[in-house]
Structure formats: C-alpha cells, structure tokens
Amino acid sequence: MALYVYKFGGTSVGSIERIKAVAERVKKVREAGDDLVVVLSAMSGETNRLIGLAKEMQAEPNERELDAMISTGEQVTVALLSMRLNEIGCPACSYTGTQVRILTDSSFTKARIKEIDDTRIRTDLTEGKVVVVAGFQGVDEDGNITTLGRGGSDTTAVALAAALKADECHIYTDVDGVYTTDPRVEPKARRLDRITFEEMLEMASLGSKVLQIRSVEFAGKYNVALRVLSSFAEGNGTLITYEESQMESALISGIAFNRDEAKLTITGVPDLPGIAYKILGPIADANIEVDMIVQNIAADATTDFTFTVHRNDFLRAKTILDAICADLGARKVSADNNIVKVSIVGVGMRSHAGIASTMFKTLANEGINIQMIATSEIKISVVVDEKYLELAVRSLHSAFGLEQA
Ligand code: ADP
Ligand code: ASP
Ligand code: MG
C-alpha cells in the first residue's frame, strides 16, 4: 500500500464536471488500496477574479486582507471535492491550510512554509478517509492567513508529500508533462519522460510556470519523487529526477521564457567605485528584485548600467532611477517594458562548447537583436524585443533539434 499526494490545478477543477471527474479518479486510487492526500487549486480564473475585486477596494490592497480573501478560492474547491467523494461512497474530509496547520512565516502573498502538523491528516488516513487540503495557503504564528505566491498549490503538495513521506507526489495539470518548451508557444514541443531537478529548477526560475519554483526546490531538498501529469488523459507524464538524462546527446533540454520582465538603463554615469551600489542600493531598499545586470564602460570615463526587474515593479523602479540619475549627474534614464527573456537550459551544456554561438547565430539569422545576455553553467538567457518571443522560441527549438520525432 502506497501513500500518494495528488495535486490538481485550476483547469483540472475548473467546473463542477471537472471536480466530479477528479472525484472518480481519486475513488479509483482508494479502491486499489492506496492512501491519498489531495491538494487543490481554486477554479481556474478565480484567484485573478478575487485579486480584481480587491483592487477595486484599494489600489494596492493591504496584503494581510488580500491573503485572507484570495485563499477562499481553494476553500471552495476542497469542500466541493470532499462532498462529491462522500456522495460517491468514498469517505473524505477537507481542510484549509489553517485547519491542517501549515505554519508559514508572515510574508503575506509570498509566505514560506516552516512546518506542517500532520496529526489530523494521519488520523484521517488511518480511518480510511481521503484527505483534501486547500493549496496555496497557510497560517502564521499569530493566526493570520497567508498565501504562498502564485502557483503555490504545487508547493503545498510537495511540502505535504515531504512531511508525510509520501511515495510519490503527482501534479495533475492541463498538459501531460513537462515539455521542451511551453506547448502553447511551440506546438512542436516534445514531452520529456524525465528531467533533472537542476534543469527543472532553471526552467521554473526562468519562467516555465508549469511548476512553481519553490515546489521544485522543496522536492529536491526533501527528496520527493515528483511527477507532472495530465488530469485529462492517461500517461506517465514527466518524472523529475536526480539522474541525468539517458540521452546524453541532448545538449539542451528545454527553452524557457519570461514575459514578466522590464528593462531600465541609466547612461553617462561617472565611472567610480561604488556606482553599482549607488544605483542598485535604493532599488533593493524599495524591495525590488533585480534579475539581469549589465555594465558597460564608455570611452569618456562614464558607464552605462542596465538591469531588469519584474514588470509589476517597473514604474516604481523608474521613479527611483530618475532620482538617482539627477543625484549622480548621469545623462539619462531609458526604460522599456516591452522585452522578454528567452533562455536555453540543459545540463549537457556543461561539457560542450559552441552552444552560445549556435544560439546567437540562430537569433541573428532571424534578424532578432539581442539586448542583454546572461549565462551560467547550464543556461544561457537573452533579452529580446517582446514581438520576437514566438519567433525566438521556435527558431531555437528547431536549431537545437528539440522537436517531436
Ligand atoms: P495549473 O493550473 O494546473 O497549475 P499552470 O497553468 O500553472 O496549470 O501550468 C500548466 C501550464 O504551464 C501549461 O498549460 C503550459 O502552457 C505552461 N507551460 C510553460 N512551460 C511549460 C513546459 N516547459 N512544459 C509544459 N507546460 C508548460
Ligand atoms: N490559485 C492560486 C493561483 O492561481 C494557486 C495555484 O493555483 O497554485 O496562483
Ligand atoms: Mg500552476
């Protein structure tokens, strides 16, 4: 007898019919004799709808109140699934994050899980019940409801699997696994049977939202066997594993992209020690995360400094940078929020030269100008104009031979 944690995402519980289908699947697993903890997202679109309501009340909603409200989407789906399971003769009980006691820190809207009390879950499992837990949420030391960041139900599932030492954690979604790139952008994308944690972490952090990055971190840290599968079709999905891919010839495993970035440049900055700190210090003080950074020296002993931030922080960052520009007597600030970051990822890159030049040549052949470049051992990222996103992804996908056979 095994213990599984199954997580179903928004589209998988997007209607009454879909929730009924999830109940049938769950019942089958129970009837086969395995124990099951089910984690659910809110119905698709619900979290966005709730955030929209909040913004009508307060331009920048109070984060404590926001969390209290946006956590309700999941409360609805878990209760509905539990009702249905009981209706079809499969004993079940639903819990919110607070009821389980998924203890988090108090960083509203992006809380981190500190501890999970598994007592109630264990008792229910022993009594033969399916336990249905609301994803995306927890509670802090003071009893405030917190949420774990967008896509956070993945993390709830993996954290529960780790706490319960489950045999496997299955993430059921609207695609049948992890693909070489988002199949919505490149229909020729190929499903991967396996991907390493290291690669999945890069893919997630570079914008592939099929798994929330924290869920992958958690699974890697606590050795959770993690699989991504379709809730609509049968199949083995994609296993996230420690082993390197059998196909050693695959230099690149996937292409990720991120539409959420924006670029800021300050030109004609006096080239003196401490300049990077003077520019990025105030940005960090405003709690704005910086992603890519490039500094260039001009002939006249001044420097140009470019960095990217999340699009949500774009206007705030621009205001801060305008003030810094005046302060430092720099030439000017230019800002562009119509950029995207496209990245190629693969552990095979480590042992092969020439990957970067293939990437740059491919983009050049398509007439795509590269605005920024960043590399690490297993990834190369470029910033390009947003209008080239699809073209860049598809041409790189083909250049690295990632299409379906
Ligand atoms: P859920 O609501 O089930 O959590 P998400 O929308 O969060 O689903 O994640 C699934 C989506 O992730 C897919 O529909 C797909 O468009 C997108 N996606 C992005 N990159 C990839 C990738 N490399 N492989 C598979 N899906 C991807
Ligand atoms: N409902 C939340 C969101 O839309 C959490 C999740 O689906 O994982 O971000
Ligand atoms: Mg998701």
Side-chain angles (χ1 to χ4, degrees):
M1 201 171 79
L3 167 61
Y4 293 110
V5 175
Y6 280 13
K7 177 253 169 179
F8 294 88
T11 30
S12 309
V13 293
S15 65
I16 290 300
E17 285 65 39
R18 290 303 312 159
I19 296 177
K20 286 182 178 171
V22 167
E24 294 301 330
R25 187 187 277 264
V26 167
K27 188 180 179 200
K28 259 197 214 152
V29 177
R30 271 305 294 146
E31 285 176 350
D34 292 319
D35 281 339
L36 201 56
V37 173
V38 180
V39 173
L40 300 184
S41 289
M43 289 179 163
S44 55
E46 178 65 1
T47 310
N48 286 343
R49 186 185 75 85
L50 292 170
I51 293 173
L53 289 179
K55 286 189 173 158
E56 286 192 39
M57 286 301 147
Q58 199 177 9
E60 296 229 11
N62 175 288
E63 292 189 331
R64 178 188 177 279
E65 307 308 329
L66 186 64
D67 275 0
M69 189 190 52
I70 62 178
S71 61
T72 60
E74 275 72 11
Q75 195 170 340
V76 170
T77 51
V78 291
L80 286 173
L81 178 66
S82 182
M83 287 173 201
R84 185 64 190 172
L85 284 169
N86 285 299
E87 175 75 10
I88 61 176
C90 182
C93 186
S94 76
Y95 295 99
T96 63
T98 308
Q99 287 174 320
V100 173
R101 203 145 197 271
I102 297 181
L103 183 70
T104 70
D105 62 19
S106 302
S107 317
F108 296 113
T109 74
K110 46 180 174 303
R112 282 184 182 267
I113 297 176
K114 288 165 68 173
E115 205 179 280
I116 294 181
D117 181 351
D118 63 2
T119 324
R120 293 179 88 166
I121 298 181
R122 293 249 181 237
T123 310
D124 282 357
L125 290 175
T126 316
E127 290 172 4
K129 289 183 194 154
V130 171
V131 179
V132 191
V133 179
F136 178 54
Q137 56 185 269
V139 63
D140 74 2
E141 300 271 8
D142 301 320
N144 298 304
I145 295 172
T146 56
T147 65
L148 309 179
R150 299 308 304 269
S153 300
D154 298 334
T155 302
T156 305
V158 175
L160 276 168
L164 297 165
K165 302 195 172 48
D167 292 279
E168 268 196 29
C169 179
H170 289 186
I171 305 290
Y172 287 94
T173 182
D174 57 0
V175 274
D176 61 352
V178 178
Y179 277 68
T180 46
T181 193
D182 190 337
R184 286 185 215 212
V185 166
E186 173 51 286
K188 291 189 202 137
R190 182 167 46 82
R191 186 180 59 78
L192 301 164
D193 285 332
R194 311 168 145 243
I195 183 168
T196 67
F197 274 107
E198 208 182 359
E199 287 169 326
M200 193 63 237
L201 259 183
E202 283 291 355
M203 293 279 281
S205 73
L206 294 168
S208 300
K209 289 175 185 155
V210 60
L211 284 175
Q212 196 198 34
I213 178 161
R214 280 190 191 163
S215 71
V216 188
E217 284 169 0
F218 229 100
K221 190 164 162 195
Y222 295 98
N223 210 351
V224 175
L226 184 60
R227 200 180 273 284
V228 176
L229 317 94
S230 165
S231 68
F232 298 83
E234 295 302 316
N236 291 329
T238 301
L239 181 68
I240 325 293
T241 137
Y242 285 105
E243 295 148 43
E244 305 230 334
S245 143
Q246 262 84 15
M247 309 181 298
E248 270 102 21
S249 58
L251 303 179
I252 302 301
S253 297
I255 299 173
F257 55 84
N258 189 347
R259 291 186 171 99
D260 295 334
E261 294 202 32
K263 187 181 79 163
L264 294 140
T265 301
I266 176 164
T267 50
V269 187
D271 191 18
L272 300 168
I275 233 40
Y277 174 66
K278 282 202 179 128
I279 295 170
L280 294 181
I283 300 281
D285 291 344
N287 229 339
I288 297 175
E289 237 177 85
V290 170
D291 181 22
M292 291 165 90
I293 304 170
V294 172
Q295 185 183 337
N296 265 329
I297 301 174
D300 62 352
T302 66
T303 178
D304 297 347
F305 199 93
T306 303
F307 59 94
T308 63
V309 297
H310 195 285
R311 272 192 205 181
N312 288 347
D313 294 325
F314 177 64
L315 288 178
R316 269 197 318 137
K318 166 110 175 38
T319 309
I320 295 169
L321 203 58
D322 283 335
I324 297 170
C325 182
D327 231 32
L328 296 177
R331 199 171 310 125
K332 74 168 201 216
V333 170
S334 44
D336 183 355
N337 64 356
N338 296 310
I339 53 130
V340 288
K341 182 170 70 175
V342 177
S343 310
I344 58 174
V345 175
V347 289
M349 211 185 280
R350 238 183 224 138
S351 47
H352 286 81
I355 307 274
S357 65
T358 304
M359 181 181 198
F360 303 153
K361 186 176 77 190
T362 305
L363 296 174
N365 287 345
E366 299 295 341
I368 301 172
N369 183 41
I370 300 171
Q371 303 180 17
M372 293 173 89
I373 300 171
T375 63
S376 79
E377 247 200 324
I378 67 161
K379 71 117 200 279
I380 303 170
S381 301
V382 295
V383 166
V384 300
D385 192 312
E386 185 176 54
K387 68 176 183 243
Y388 295 126
L389 171 68
E390 279 82 6
L391 182 60
V393 169
R394 289 179 196 152
S395 58
L396 291 170
H397 197 266
S398 149
F400 287 103
L402 295 176
E403 296 102 329
Q404 293 165 21

